[in-house]
């Protein structure tokens, strides 16, 4: 009997090990797939033009072959002319603009999303469901179509004055059209709906107002979803390209995404200096990585908790 | 938690409130500006009215501007702000900023706001959007098809009124840097612009100049001269002229017939490069298949597009042309970058997979091997640049001929053709009369003979004016290097004349002495390399002056190099000084001693120990030159070599160290030679300027695509043929389907 048990345990152990190996191999494969673009970015940023063009491509680079000039070229200054001494590539200005724009957009989005999701999930008013259906319907319209209408709106609001655009104009123009998102409203409404009605009635009996109920009960319960929305929305703002390119008239107002696109292309031949482009991409990614590693626990908790129903 | 939420709400509310205040204030200001725009618009329409009436009365021939009586008035001195949109990043705009600063100093009431809009697509998109709401810059850079689209909305200002203007403005602001000049004419000497560029810029509706050329380039063919040099005899056996050092003619283009013959020698039987036999896998790479299609169509007179937006490619000549091209693809005579799934083939030219490559003149540096990459099968081979191959020759231009691709014969009446490309610059009609006037003067300033030459040398583009090519105004390219455009062109000419080698130069005193064409100028007081000199190849019968040092101190040194191949007795030679414009020697020194073959003889007047250590003969009479004095080395009565030009008194070599072209030639640190390749393509561009052709530019219409799209599809058409996705006929009809909807 005992032998059988031992044997079974052995089989079980072997199976477990095999399963673990399979899992880790699978995870490692996925991890590699995810990491390769980042690795490639880093690798390219450390290659000289000549190494970059090598065929077959060089996959590993010894530290002594690293070409860090791509990095310090980013911080070169203009050598001659009236702009002498100014940075060739105003990297920090672009970063600052991107950070400000994504913070403002995200804050605005959160406020509109939470309030309207609450209204659609909890409050009873006439035409609520029709309004919601119309809102959902607008999701069918591709975002690019809004570029022209948004442009006309922003222009008539006076925020696109090409002779004299201020940073506040640009900030409003870049953030306001993106301060609501039907998808996030829909997403959060579904989360809110899962919160049992009993909690609402109990709170009402205790004399809380709707707003207090939203603040004290709903937001804490739906926090994981809100965190997700925050992350997704900041990412969207960080990656925005077409709209910021159209609405900014001056170089100093540009976001990192637009700056990266144009700055390293030789305008006379249309060729791009990939080394420098990747070096700057690495620098753009760096703050996000630092942010992630610092707040790893909080972010992971948010993501893992989002599976648990309130 | 609550605090955070309250904080967020507060933040949002403030944001909205600030925003609303912003809206209110801006709408009021917008209203204010609307009224001003309304008033400026009335002047705009007025000026447009005169344009139109001016045009109707104007005959098609250009008005002789010289005889026109000038209408004189004061230059407007109101504050004017001009918004100039381009796509130049900080690096290129450094020079642009300098030119702007100069312009603002000339017209102190003008401010030019120059802004980069990152890339051409963004620039065009923003202007197109802006036109619909009246928010366009005063002036902008753009390709002809961009302007063609803007013109359909009436947004662009025809420049003819300015070009032919008889207005002379008197300068009234004494702080202007050109105040002494007294006046400024509005009119422009349009004849001085390259005819091809002019044709491109007045091809639009009504034949108006809606833009002027600014940053122009063309295509050129880089060749691996090291490979060619190995086959000189075989190439001559084919009846193609080539020099011993592997130089083809830089004026007469190779024909595709020549190319096909060369292919039998230079292309390896297998599709890989054979280094030992100097053969490549492919003969010619064509970077831009779109350009290739267009250029071949022109060379065959096949019909491509016209200014009305008609797409004329559906004809038998185009089909023949495509079949002819396909035969060359099949023979590996021509290759497209799609072969390697790349956008450009330069990397494969450098590695030796392809012997020649055709690309933009602005991309020269991408075709120069580094010599440090193991993949470069021919190592750091020698590169030369040629005009793009032609289907017909200068003799058979526009005459009926029969050409063959090896299997089929085609009867064609072809033309010489090379593409011209690069953006132009134009002014928008929305601006006020004064804004437009100064924008115009700014265009004039950007394209002065000197500025366009400077821009060309700095950026790799080509000058837009004919007079630039012979400009003798020195232009500072780096803080340590200045050169005139004429001398810049001379870099390649010297190199070509000398067959890429520096051998004996026969220089006589009557030669006009130019530092840049025969000498390398080192930093003042430099003694670099004193006491040694070497010329690798070639024999000379007489010694030459190899170094000339005129320091800021009292040290004067002259170095004489013996490259005759034998020991030389110097007693037969004299060195004469022709001081301060004298036509007879003011002092003469008879040399003495011998100098071994390949060695130097140093004559000096110095107390510097470093000089004395290398010195062979001290002298204080002849060696008393001071920068404007001529030195002549004679053997008996015959002039052997000289520095300077007898009878001239100008300081031509003061406080300098000059080194004769020699073993320094290939030193990459030498700035003069840094410009060799740029100089080569500038010469090539000049040589093929006679047959530049441009794309007719038109916006997309209801029945067909715009010219930019036709070019893109033309590129795909050739790629489809190259990859054998379609037959030539199939690729052509596929292309038509993509372009014509009517």
């Amino acid at each position: 009997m005992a032998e059988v048990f031992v044997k079974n345990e052995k089989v079980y152990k072997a199976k477990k090990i095999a399963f673990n190996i399979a899992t880790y191999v699978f995870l490692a494969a996925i991890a590699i797939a995810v990491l390769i673009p980042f690795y490639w970015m880093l690798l390219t940023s450390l290659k000289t033009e000549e190494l970059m063009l090598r065929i077959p491509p060089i996959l590993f680079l010894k530290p002594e072959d690293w070409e860090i000039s791509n990095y310090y070229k980013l911080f070169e200054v203009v050598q001659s002319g009236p702009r002498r001494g100014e940075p060739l590539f105003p990297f920090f200005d672009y970063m600052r603009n991107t950070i400000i724009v994504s913070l403002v957009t995200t804050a605005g989005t959160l406020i509109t999303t939470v309030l309207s999701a609450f209204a659609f999930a909890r409050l009873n008013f006439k035409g609520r469901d029709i309004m919601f259906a119309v809102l959902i319907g607008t999701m069918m319209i591709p975002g690019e179509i809004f570029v022209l209408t948004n442009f006309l709106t922003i222009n008539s609001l006076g925020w696109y004055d090409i002779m004299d655009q201020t940073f506040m104009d640009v900030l409003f123009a870049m953030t306001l059209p993106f301060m609501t998102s039907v998808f996030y409203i829909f997403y959060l409404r579904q989360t809110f709906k899962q919160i049992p009605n009993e909690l609402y009635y109990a709170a009402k009996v205790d004399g809380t107002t709707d707003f207090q109920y939203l603040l004290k009960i709903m937001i804490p319960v739906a926090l994981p979803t809100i965190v997700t929305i925050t992350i997704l929305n900041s990412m969207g703002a960080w990656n925005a390209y077409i709209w910021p390119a159209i609405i900014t008239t001056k170089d100093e107002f540009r976001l990192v995404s637009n700056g990266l696109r144009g700055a390293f292309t030789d305008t006379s031949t249309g060729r791009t200096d990939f080394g420098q482009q990747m070096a700057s991409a690495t620098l753009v990614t760096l703050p996000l990585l630092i942010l992630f590693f610092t707040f790893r626990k909080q972010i992971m908790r948010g993501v893992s908790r989002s599976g648990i129903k309130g | 938690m609550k605090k955070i939420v309250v904080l967020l709400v507060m933040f949002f509310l403030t944001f909205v409130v600030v925003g609303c205040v912003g809206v209110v204030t801006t709408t009021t200001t917008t209203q204010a500006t609307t009224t001003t725009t309304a008033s400026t618009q009335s002047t705009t329409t007025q000026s447009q009215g005169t344009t139109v009436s001016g045009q109707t009365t104007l005959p098609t021939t250009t008005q002789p501007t010289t005889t026109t009586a000038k209408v004189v008035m004061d230059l407007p001195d109101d504050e004017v702000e001009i918004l100039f949109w381009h796509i130049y990043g900080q690096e290129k705009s450094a020079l642009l900023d300098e030119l702007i600063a100069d312009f603002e100093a000339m017209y102190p009431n003008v401010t030019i706001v120059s802004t980069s809009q990152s890339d051409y697509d963004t620039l065009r998109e923003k202007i197109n959007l802006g036109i619909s709401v009246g928010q366009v810059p005063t002036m902008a850079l753009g390709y002809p098809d961009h302007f063609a689209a803007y013109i359909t909305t009436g947004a662009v200002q025809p420049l003819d009124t300015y070009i032919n203007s008889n207005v002379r403005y008197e300068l009234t602001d004494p702080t202007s840097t050109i105040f002494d000049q007294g006046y400024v004419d509005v009119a422009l000497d349009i004849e001085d612009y390259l005819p091809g560029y002019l044709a491109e810029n007045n091809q639009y509706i009504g034949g108006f100049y809606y833009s002027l050329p600014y940053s122009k380039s063309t295509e050129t063919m880089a060749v691996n001269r090291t490979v060619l040099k190995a086959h000189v005899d075989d190439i001559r056996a084919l009846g193609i002229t080539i020099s011993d050092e592997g130089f083809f003619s830089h004026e007469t283009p190779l024909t595709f017939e020549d190319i096909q013959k060369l292919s039998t020698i230079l292309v390896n039987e297998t599709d890989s490069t054979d280094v030992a036999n100097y053969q490549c896998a492919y003969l010619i790479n064509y970077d831009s298949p779109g350009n290739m299609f267009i250029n071949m169509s022109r060379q065959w007179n096949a019909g491509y597009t016209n200014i009305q937006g008609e797409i004329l490619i559906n004809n038998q000549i185009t089909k023949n042309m495509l079949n002819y091209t396909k035969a060359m693809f099949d023979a590996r005579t021509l290759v497209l970058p799609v072969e390697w799934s790349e956008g450009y083939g330069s990397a494969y030219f450098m590695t030796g997979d392809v012997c020649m490559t055709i690309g933009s003149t602005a991309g020269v540096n991408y075709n120069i091997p580094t010599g440090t990459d193991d993949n470069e099968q021919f190592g750091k081979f020698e590169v030369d640049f040629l005009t793009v191959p032609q289907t017909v020759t200068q003799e058979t231009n526009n005459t009926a001929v029969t050409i063959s691709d090896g299997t089929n014969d085609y009867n064609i009446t072809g033309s010489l053709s090379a593409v011209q490309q690069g953006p132009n610059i134009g002014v928008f009609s929305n601006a006020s009369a004064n804004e437009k006037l100064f924008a115009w003067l700014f265009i004039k300033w950007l394209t002065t003979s000197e500025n366009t030459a400077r821009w060309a040398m700095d950026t790799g583009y080509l000058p837009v004016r004919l007079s630039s090519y012979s400009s003798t105004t020195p232009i500072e390219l780096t803080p340590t290097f200045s050169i005139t455009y004429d001398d810049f062109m001379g870099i390649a000419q010297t190199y070509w004349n000398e067959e890429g080698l520096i051998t004996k130069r026969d220089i006589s005193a009557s030669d006009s002495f130019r530092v840049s064409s025969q000498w390398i100028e080192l930093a003042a007081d430099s003694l670099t390399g004193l006491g040694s000199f070497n010329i690798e190849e070639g024999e000379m019968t007489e010694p030459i002056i190899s170094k000339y040092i005129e320091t800021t101190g009292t040290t004067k040194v002259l170095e004489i190099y013996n490259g005759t191949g034998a020991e030389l007795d110097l007693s037969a030679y004299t060195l004469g000084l022709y001081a301060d414009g004298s036509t007879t020697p003011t002092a003469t020194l008879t040399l003495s001693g011998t100098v071994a073959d390949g060695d130097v003889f140093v004559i000096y007047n110095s107390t510097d120990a470093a000089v004395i250590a290398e010195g062979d003969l001290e002298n204080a009479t002849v060696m008393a030159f001071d920068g404007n004095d001529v030195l002549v080395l004679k053997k008996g009565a015959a002039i052997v070599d000289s520095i300077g030009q007898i009878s001239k008194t100008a300081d031509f070599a003061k406080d300098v160290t000059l080194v004769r072209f020699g073993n320094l030639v290939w030193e990459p640190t030498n700035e003069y030679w840094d410009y060799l390749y740029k100089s080569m393509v500038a010469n090539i561009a000049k040589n093929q300027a006679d047959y530049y052709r441009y794309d007719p530019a038109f916006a997309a219409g209801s029945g067909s695509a715009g010219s930019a799209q036709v070019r893109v599809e033309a590129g795909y058409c050739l790629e489809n043929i190259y990859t054998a996705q379609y037959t030539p006929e199939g690729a052509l009809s596929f292309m038509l389907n993509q372009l014509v909807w009517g």
Side-chain angles (χ1 to χ4, degrees), chain A residues 241-269:
Chain A
Y241 177 72
I242 297 176
W243 181 252
I246 285 178
I247 213 69
T248 51
T249 60
K250 291 180 192 162
D251 211 31
E252 64 257 37
F253 296 158
R254 287 194 213 302
L255 304 189
V256 143
S257 52
N258 308 113
L260 284 185
R261 171 73 174 76
F264 308 111
T265 303
D266 181 347
T267 43
S268 45
T269 56

Side-chain angles (χ1 to χ4, degrees), chain B residues 504 531-544 546 560-570 573 593-601:
Chain B
K504 183 194 180 310
S532 71
F533 189 76
N534 189 19
I535 290 178
E536 294 290 348
E537 308 214 24
E539 290 283 299
M540 48 182 74
T541 54
E542 296 293 351
I544 59 161
S546 52
I560 292 168
Y561 170 70
N562 172 20
T564 57
E567 196 182 70
L568 190 72
D569 180 6
L570 289 174
Y573 295 88
T594 57
V595 55
D597 176 43
D599 201 2
V600 292
F601 188 81

Side-chain angles (χ1 to χ4, degrees), chain B residues 639-655:
Chain B
I639 293 172
V640 170
D641 199 0
S642 70
I643 284 191
Q645 215 174 334
I646 291 173
S647 85
K648 293 284 176 0
T649 54
D651 274 337
F652 66 93
K654 191 171 172 57
D655 303 341

